[in-house]
Amino acid sequence: MDMEIFRRLASRRYSDAQRLLAIILQGILFGVLGPCAVVYLSLFLDSSLGLSGFRGETMALVFGILFVIEGFAFAAWTVLTQFRNGMGTPSPLMPTRKLVADGPFALCRNPMTFGIFFFYLGLNLLAGSPMGVAVTIFLFSLLVVDIKTIEEKELELRFGQEYVDYRLRTSIII
């Protein structure tokens, strides 16, 4: 894959309004449409496979609520940090202009992945869907593979030794 495209995208300057619009559109896609699709598909799979699920179970409700709140808060903190400190967005089409290693990025290299994983997991626990939990784990496993094979190479290309040092001192996901 040609990593030069990422460097060109990162070198562009975007206004605050453009970055805010990108964040809103990403929020709609990954915060509303994505979770709805995963929950709907998962409930369909549960029904098709005859899985009864755990809808209404107290522990699923408690952990579902906690995961949704924690995941949303962590993802929002990540977006705000990228917007303010990195002059970019979570999107690879409008990436940060500088390496962000503070805020949630001081805890792990991929706080957006961490937050969104728990947000989706929480929604599927609230829906009581065993397939939802499995689909969420599967999709985010694929995302981690993408991070390791593409994103980390791109970040090293853009930020050089600064990123290598950051990668050595910070875990991929908490």
Side-chain angles (χ1 to χ4, degrees):
M1 174 173 221
D2 181 20
M3 295 290 170
E4 188 58 34
I5 190 168
F6 294 112
R7 189 189 307 239
R8 286 194 304 271
L9 287 169
S11 68
R12 293 183 182 167
R13 295 197 182 275
Y14 299 97
S15 70
D16 286 351
Q18 288 172 312
R19 291 185 298 129
L20 189 57
L21 178 61
I23 288 169
I24 290 168
L25 293 174
Q26 291 170 47
I28 291 169
L29 179 62
F30 295 108
V32 178
L33 299 177
C36 287
V38 169
V39 169
Y40 178 79
L41 172 68
S42 299
L43 291 173
F44 173 77
L45 289 172
D46 288 341
S47 175
S48 297
L49 296 171
L51 300 174
S52 62
F54 37 84
R55 200 169 296 124
E57 295 288 330
T58 304
M59 292 305 287
L61 293 174
V62 169
F63 280 102
I65 290 168
L66 289 174
F67 287 173
V68 165
I69 292 169
E70 176 276 331
F72 180 83
F74 213 78
W77 184 25
T78 301
V79 170
L80 185 61
T81 303
Q82 285 183 312
F83 187 85
R84 286 184 177 166
N85 303 356
M87 302 302 291
T89 73
S91 171
L93 300 176
M94 201 177 285
T96 59
R97 298 182 50 78
K98 67 176 200 163
L99 181 65
V100 181
D102 59 342
F105 293 91
L107 303 173
C108 67
R109 294 192 312 267
N110 296 280
M112 179 61 71
T113 301
F114 178 82
I116 294 298
F117 171 76
F118 278 98
F119 179 72
Y120 278 52
L121 187 61
L123 289 175
N124 281 294
L125 287 172
L126 290 172
S129 174
M131 283 305 296
V133 171
V135 166
T136 298
I137 291 169
F138 174 75
L139 291 175
F140 281 88
S141 297
L142 292 178
L143 183 58
V144 170
V145 169
D146 174 70
I147 288 167
K148 293 298 288 174
T149 59
I150 296 173
E151 185 178 314
E152 287 189 346
K153 289 177 184 166
E154 182 269 324
L155 290 168
E156 188 172 340
L157 176 71
R158 264 198 301 145
F159 299 116
Q161 190 61 42
E162 183 183 13
Y163 177 73
V164 172
D165 294 342
Y166 170 68
R167 189 178 66 214
L168 290 173
R169 72 176 183 270
T170 311
S171 68
I172 186 170
I173 296 177
I174 293 176

